[in-house]
């Protein structure tokens, strides 16, 4: 049994604001309606779900135009979805759907977000859907889909265009599509290879530069190791010097502390002495006053004594002749033996005679 389209479900696509299901029963299925009721939209929904990429061929400016745009009575939609059901697909579909007895292929578009394809609920690429229909000798551009005015175009077709028709009838369109895809892949692989070669060239240049940098880094590591060792030595020396200075400073500190305590003791002693001296000072002052008084008294007495001595000498001279004959030494001896203040000179002179 050949593969059969058994159902089309259209929702939000063009004039189909509400979901509509078209059952395609065995035999001939016709859609009848007045002009502009949406008959062509059904065929377009079929082609769109099979992977049509040209918005123009769907009578739109861009792909979002297939979404229901609203009418005076209904708001616009943001999503359109068309689902095709295929029966008797066992052994006809490419892997991994080769074993599936029926397929449900859907395309869903969200305004501004592009299309998402699913085969039996599994998300897939547009190209896989297109290839699947090519393998089934149909598709969005299949000559099996004859739209308005296309019959005349086929009659007048050029040999190349007819060849496409014959190839499709022979069921090798899928192979062509695969070959095309393989060629695209090959070209992409060649481009990748070239890019990889370019990259390899760039990487070689980078490798050289990296090797140079690695050599520099090694040299830097070695030199910085030496610098670190020298730094460590220098710091050890500085530390030893600092330790020695600290020891000297410590010794000086201890000596200074000892000197301070010595000075403190001496200062205490001196203060004590000063206190004692200050205490003794009034007595000394009093003694000094007394001594001064005594001195003055002695000076006055001395002066009186001297005057008396003069007088005695004069009297002696008058009585005994010149003074030279007087025994002065004897007088002084007497003065020394007796306290001269207590003994008047007149009595001395009397005694001397
Ligand atoms: P004819 O027999 O004249 O070709 P038809 O029955 O095939 O007509 P279609 O051309 O399929 O009708 O449908 C045209 C209708 O679909 C128009 O009324 C148009 O307003 C409506 N339509 C197309 N695109 C949209 C859209 N994005 N949103 C809402 N309505 C749309």
């Amino acid at each position: 049994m050949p593969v059969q389209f058994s159902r089309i479900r259209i929702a939000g696509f063009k004039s189909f604001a509400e979901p509509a299901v078209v059952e395609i029963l065995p035999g001939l299925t016709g859609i009848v309606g007045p002009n502009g009721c949406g008959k062509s939209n059904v065929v377009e929904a079929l082609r769109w779900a099979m992977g049509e990429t040209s918005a123009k061929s769907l009578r739109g400016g861009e792909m979002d135009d297939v979404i229901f745009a609203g009418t005076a009575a209904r708001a616009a939609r943001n999503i359109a979805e068309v689902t095709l059901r295929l029966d008797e697909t066992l052994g006809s579909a490419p892997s991994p759907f080769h074993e599936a007895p029926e397929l449900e292929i859907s395309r869903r578009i969200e305004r501004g977000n592009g299309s998402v394809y699913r085969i039996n609920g599994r998300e897939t690429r547009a190209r896989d859907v297109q290839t699947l229909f090519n393998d089934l000798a149909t598709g969005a551009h299949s000559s099996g889909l004859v739209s308005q005015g296309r019959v005349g175009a086929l009659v007048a077709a050029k040999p190349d265009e007819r060849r496409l028709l014959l190839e499709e009838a022979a069921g090798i369109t899928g192979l062509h599509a695969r070959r095309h895809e393989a060629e695209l892949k090959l070209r992409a692989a060649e481009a990748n290879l070239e890019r990889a070669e370019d990259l390899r060239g760039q990487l070689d240049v980078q490798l050289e530069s990296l090797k140079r940098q690695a050599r520099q880094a090694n040299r830097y590591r070695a030199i910085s190791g030496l610098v670190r060792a020298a730094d460590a030595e220098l710091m050890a020396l500085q530390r030893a010097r600092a330790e020695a200075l600290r020891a000297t400073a410590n010794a000086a500190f201890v000596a200074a502390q000892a000197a301070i305590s010595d000075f403190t003791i001496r200062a205490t002693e001196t203060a004590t002495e000063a206190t004692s001296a200050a205490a003794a000072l009034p007595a000394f002052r009093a003694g000094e006053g007394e001594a001064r008084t005594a001195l003055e008294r002695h000076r006055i007495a001395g002066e009186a004594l001297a005057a008396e001595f003069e007088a005695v000498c004069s009297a002696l001279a008058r009585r005994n002749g010149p003074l030279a004959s007087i025994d002065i030494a004897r007088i002084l001896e007497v003065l020394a033996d007796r306290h001269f203040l207590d003994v008047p000179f007149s009595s001395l002179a009397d005694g001397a005679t």
Side-chain angles (χ1 to χ4, degrees):
M1 273 278 274
V3 176
Q4 295 286 320
F5 282 90
S6 59
R7 195 168 67 178
I8 306 173
R9 184 179 182 276
I10 309 170
F13 184 90
K14 292 221 168 185
S15 51
F16 293 91
E18 296 301 326
V21 175
V22 179
E23 299 285 352
I24 305 170
L25 301 170
L28 203 62
T29 301
I31 303 173
V32 182
N35 283 352
C37 73
K39 301 184 292 294
S40 301
N41 288 347
V42 177
V43 180
E44 279 170 4
L46 190 66
R47 279 178 37 222
W48 185 71
M50 288 194 285
E52 176 61 73
T53 51
S54 161
K56 213 168 118 196
S57 76
L58 296 169
R59 296 180 294 168
E62 55 186 58
M63 205 44 98
D64 279 354
D65 291 343
V66 302
I67 303 170
F68 177 69
T71 62
R74 281 173 184 275
R77 293 280 158 95
N78 285 322
I79 293 171
E81 185 169 38
V82 175
T83 308
L84 308 180
R85 192 153 117 208
L86 274 63
D87 290 344
E88 313 295 343
T89 55
L90 184 68
S92 304
S95 175
F97 306 105
H98 199 65
E99 302 294 320
E102 55 183 38
L103 293 177
E104 205 161 74
I105 295 126
S106 73
R107 179 176 180 177
R108 176 188 170 94
I109 187 168
E110 198 173 332
R111 209 179 285 282
N113 279 338
S115 298
V116 175
Y117 291 85
R118 282 197 173 79
I119 299 178
N120 281 1
R122 189 191 294 182
E123 197 169 318
T124 183
R125 296 181 309 163
R127 183 163 295 282
D128 293 333
V129 171
Q130 289 157 357
T131 308
L132 182 139
F133 284 109
N134 283 333
D135 279 344
L136 298 176
T138 180
H141 299 131
S142 162
S143 50
L145 291 174
V146 183
S147 42
Q148 284 173 11
R150 285 281 295 153
V151 177
L154 277 175
V155 171
K158 291 182 190 148
D160 276 358
E161 292 163 347
R162 280 214 199 103
R163 188 179 141 205
L164 287 177
L165 186 70
L166 292 172
E167 280 177 354
E168 191 181 287
I172 57 171
T173 316
L175 294 180
H176 274 292
R178 279 168 203 281
R179 193 178 78 174
H180 179 62
E181 195 179 352
E183 279 170 358
L184 288 178
K185 277 186 184 162
L186 196 65
R187 246 172 270 150
E190 279 169 359
N192 280 343
L193 204 64
E194 266 175 44
R195 237 188 13 252
E197 276 298 319
D198 280 356
L199 279 174
R200 206 179 65 146
Q202 289 170 14
L203 287 176
D204 280 346
V205 174
Q206 281 179 17
L207 191 67
E208 275 310 309
S209 144
L210 285 175
K211 275 182 185 168
R212 212 170 39 248
Q213 285 178 20
R215 280 198 297 275
Q216 285 173 348
N218 278 339
R219 258 207 317 277
Y220 171 78
R221 248 205 315 271
I223 291 171
S224 60
L226 290 175
V227 170
R228 267 203 304 279
D231 274 349
E233 250 174 71
L234 181 69
M235 280 196 292
L237 277 175
Q238 284 174 340
R239 191 189 149 156
R241 206 171 292 166
E243 287 286 341
L245 283 173
R246 199 174 69 136
T248 312
N250 262 352
F253 179 67
V254 170
Q257 272 187 329
I260 286 171
S261 53
D262 274 357
F263 281 128
T264 310
I265 291 165
R266 269 158 58 189
T268 312
E269 286 170 359
T270 309
T272 311
E273 281 168 15
T275 310
S276 311
L281 199 58
F284 282 122
R285 288 236 167 92
E288 186 197 4
E290 281 172 17
R292 274 181 197 284
T293 310
L295 185 64
E296 188 60 21
R297 210 168 52 239
H298 284 155
R299 191 182 59 75
I300 293 165
E303 280 173 7
L305 202 57
E308 201 175 341
F309 183 66
E310 285 279 336
V312 171
C313 285
S314 303
L316 284 175
R318 266 191 319 271
R319 202 169 6 144
N320 299 327
L323 192 60
S325 59
I326 299 170
D327 192 351
I328 301 296
R330 176 70 192 133
I331 293 169
L332 290 174
E333 238 176 72
V334 171
L335 285 172
D337 282 346
R338 304 181 184 189
H339 199 290
F340 65 91
L341 287 175
D342 296 330
V343 182
F345 264 88
S346 50
S347 64
L348 278 177
D350 290 346
T353 53

